[in-house]
Amino acid sequence: THHGVRHQFDAIHIQALPSDSGTHHVFQFPKGIEQIQLRDAFRVKLSQAHPIKVTLTHATNPAITGTLADLSSSGMRIRIDGLVTPKPVRGEIYSSCHLVLSDGQPVVGGARLMHWKYDPDLRISFLGVQFENLDGTTQRALNRFLTDLQRKQRLTG
């Protein structure tokens, strides 16, 4: 993170050079460094007491099922028991993302993996996905659901 902006890239370690002030490392950086824009939409954390099940379908890998950890109008974070195998690859597309909100509204569309993390202490994987190709009706229903949740959380908060 540099000046509040997160960047992610792969660099090649060329060599380590000893010096009086410690070891200096020489890296080859990529020609372009990609900025990762995490969701700029307001996130609502969801209770695990009343979990909302999510299923992600991939073209070649097995389907992934978990529960919502948080939700926004542009994406979500999914909590999955254990380590996801095969390991997810940032940027990969899930042809189908399916969940049913607690008000009964289904949300169906595509999704793109933005980031993922495995917590070995909890034995839980977290996947951050961005929605793709949500139709207008679904997007409006999702926005209404999030507005209602925000209102309820402020009242009980």
Side-chain angles (χ1 to χ4, degrees):
T1 302
H2 180 66
H3 296 296
V5 178
R6 181 181 160 148
H7 301 273
Q8 182 171 325
F9 55 88
D10 291 323
I12 298 169
H13 185 260
I14 304 295
Q15 64 180 336
L17 302 170
S19 76
D20 294 340
S21 61
T23 304
H24 293 260
H25 296 275
V26 179
F27 290 92
Q28 177 184 353
F29 291 99
K31 288 185 172 71
I33 296 177
E34 181 179 353
Q35 175 185 344
I36 297 176
Q37 177 64 48
L38 297 177
R39 282 179 277 170
D40 56 359
F42 185 81
R43 296 180 193 215
V44 176
K45 287 192 168 129
L46 294 151
S47 166
Q48 293 302 306
H50 305 287
I52 296 176
K53 186 177 161 184
V54 179
T55 302
L56 297 173
T57 306
H58 192 275
T60 56
N61 296 336
I64 298 172
T65 301
T67 57
L68 280 183
D70 70 45
L71 180 66
S72 75
S73 62
S74 61
M76 63 186 158
R77 193 163 48 108
I78 306 164
R79 174 191 168 115
I80 301 154
D81 290 332
L83 178 62
V84 176
T85 54
K87 287 186 179 178
V89 176
R90 192 174 65 79
E92 71 185 349
I93 301 291
Y94 294 94
S95 53
S96 173
C97 168
H98 183 271
L99 62 133
V100 178
L101 300 173
S102 55
D103 65 1
Q105 173 68 39
V107 174
V108 180
R112 175 184 302 270
L113 182 68
M114 301 306 285
H115 58 86
W116 74 279
K117 175 183 157 189
Y118 175 67
D119 185 325
D121 296 332
L122 299 173
R123 295 190 183 123
I124 294 173
S125 295
F126 290 97
L127 271 64
V129 299
Q130 177 181 7
F131 294 126
E132 293 200 337
N133 306 319
L134 290 184
D135 65 44
T137 304
T138 302
Q139 187 68 62
R140 285 188 296 278
L142 179 59
N143 292 345
R144 264 194 312 276
F145 177 79
L146 289 165
T147 301
D148 289 345
L149 262 182
Q150 289 173 32
R151 190 175 299 127
K152 286 176 187 171
Q153 287 181 1
R154 263 190 244 120
L155 292 173
T156 60

